[in-house]
Amino acid sequence: MAGGSAIRGSRVGAGPMGEAERGEAAPRVWVSYWCSAGHQTRPSFSEEPGMVVPETWDCPRCGLPAGQDKDNPPSPPKNEPYKTHLAYVKERRSDEDGAALLDEALAALRARRGG
């Protein structure tokens, strides 16, 4: 068994790099967002020319959309129930269209079978 450090590649005095080695941090802008549950979140954005701050932000506590206006937060999205493939088809086609397509498919099948 080799002796030495429990963590390979480390040495005494090694630590995280400081500001001097990384350079200066970019100036930041903190923006407050509120969701309809009353939670506040303050993400920071890098301040740069032409910066566009998003109008909405997802609340990290409840997942609801949050806006910058504390008194009028965005409303929660409406959850639509799960729809089957047949439900989507019925939205696009009427019963008459379905009957016509079925007759056409049956006629093609009978023609292939020779009947």
Side-chain angles (χ1 to χ4, degrees):
M1 180 170 125
S5 177
I7 302 174
R8 288 185 166 217
S10 68
R11 68 181 199 284
V12 174
M17 294 187 337
E19 283 284 322
E21 287 127 5
R22 280 186 292 179
E24 291 189 26
R28 309 298 289 173
V29 174
W30 283 266
V31 180
S32 292
Y33 292 92
W34 289 271
C35 69
S36 59
H39 303 134
Q40 178 186 13
T41 185
R42 293 193 69 215
S44 67
F45 300 95
S46 175
E47 186 175 15
E48 47 190 52
M51 175 185 84
V52 178
V53 176
E55 290 182 26
T56 61
W57 193 263
D58 289 340
C59 177
R61 291 180 66 190
C62 64
L64 294 173
Q68 296 178 28
D69 186 0
K70 183 178 184 177
D71 297 327
N72 295 314
S75 59
K78 292 186 170 59
N79 290 333
E80 293 187 24
Y82 174 77
K83 290 184 188 176
T84 63
H85 176 70
L86 182 60
Y88 283 110
V89 169
K90 286 184 176 183
E91 285 180 0
R92 292 191 317 262
R93 308 229 187 251
S94 67
D95 289 339
E96 294 80 25
D97 291 339
L101 286 172
L102 179 61
D103 291 339
E104 182 182 325
L106 287 173
L109 182 63
R110 288 181 184 124
R112 275 188 286 170
R113 288 187 173 175

